[in-house]
């Protein structure tokens, strides 16, 4: 059984339709959440549990929205999780994308930063909220 070491939350938008941030470049990651976990107290076998949601309004076209989580701060840092949700032409309401990811045995530094990005393969996708990103680190 793991022992809780640290937990953090990044809450960019708490409510539905509380923001309107367009994704302006095709297939270009846009930051929507970031957390830094303090690792003091990690003894062995660190595991990080990551979860979150992001809501988008998609254009009336076949569109793919990708959520990527990296260990670090840049889209080029090591990818921990990536998934694409595809929406079809008949989608009119905002779409909620929920995700859950894990990072097993990450390198232990004084703080481990995780960053969540979103990208779209079509212009016209708008981040509308809610947006949240959470992380917990446990150790044996």
């Amino acid at each position: 059984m793991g022992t809780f070491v640290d937990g953090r939350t990044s809450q960019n938008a708490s409510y539905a339709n509380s923001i309107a941030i367009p994704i302006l470049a095709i297939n270009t990651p846009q930051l929507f959440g970031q957390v830094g976990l303090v690792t003091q107290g990690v003894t062995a076998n660190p595991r990080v549990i990551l979860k979150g949601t992001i809501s988008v309004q998609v254009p009336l076209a076949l569109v793919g929205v990708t959520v990527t989580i990296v260990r670090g701060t840049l889209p080029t840092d090591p990818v921990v999780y990536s998934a694409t949700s595809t929406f079809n032409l008949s989608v009119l309401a905002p779409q909620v994308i929920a995700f859950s990811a894990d990072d097993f045995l990450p390198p232990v530094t004084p703080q481990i930063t995780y960053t969540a990005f979103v990208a779209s393969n079509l212009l016209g996708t708008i981040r509308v909220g809610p947006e949240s990103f959470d992380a917990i680190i446990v150790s044996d």
Side-chain angles (χ1 to χ4, degrees):
M1 181 170 106
T3 302
F4 174 85
V5 176
D6 193 19
R8 303 293 168 154
T9 297
S10 174
Q11 186 82 12
N12 188 46
S14 298
Y15 307 105
N17 298 308
S18 59
I19 58 175
I21 302 171
I23 297 176
L24 297 174
I26 295 174
N27 294 324
T28 301
Q30 190 175 72
L31 185 146
F32 75 91
Q34 189 172 73
V35 292
L37 296 170
V38 177
T39 60
Q40 183 179 3
V42 169
T43 54
N45 300 317
R47 281 114 39 220
V48 177
I49 303 159
L50 304 147
K51 66 178 184 62
T53 64
I54 183 168
S55 296
V56 293
Q57 179 70 55
V58 297
L60 290 177
L62 187 62
V63 62
V65 177
T66 301
V67 170
T68 304
I69 301 171
V70 300
R71 186 185 322 111
T73 59
L74 303 172
T76 54
D77 285 333
V79 173
V80 174
Y81 171 88
S82 183
T84 300
S85 297
T86 303
F87 303 101
N88 65 30
L89 300 173
S90 64
V91 174
L92 295 175
Q95 300 301 301
V96 178
I97 302 168
F99 57 90
S100 177
D102 301 300
D103 193 10
F104 187 70
L105 300 177
V108 178
T109 56
Q111 176 176 297
I112 304 174
T113 301
Y114 291 92
T115 306
F117 295 95
V118 64
S120 176
N121 67 353
L122 191 63
L123 292 178
T125 304
I126 301 171
R127 297 166 42 204
V128 295
E131 292 181 354
S132 65
F133 180 50
D134 309 313
I136 294 173
I137 186 168
V138 296
S139 172
D140 287 343

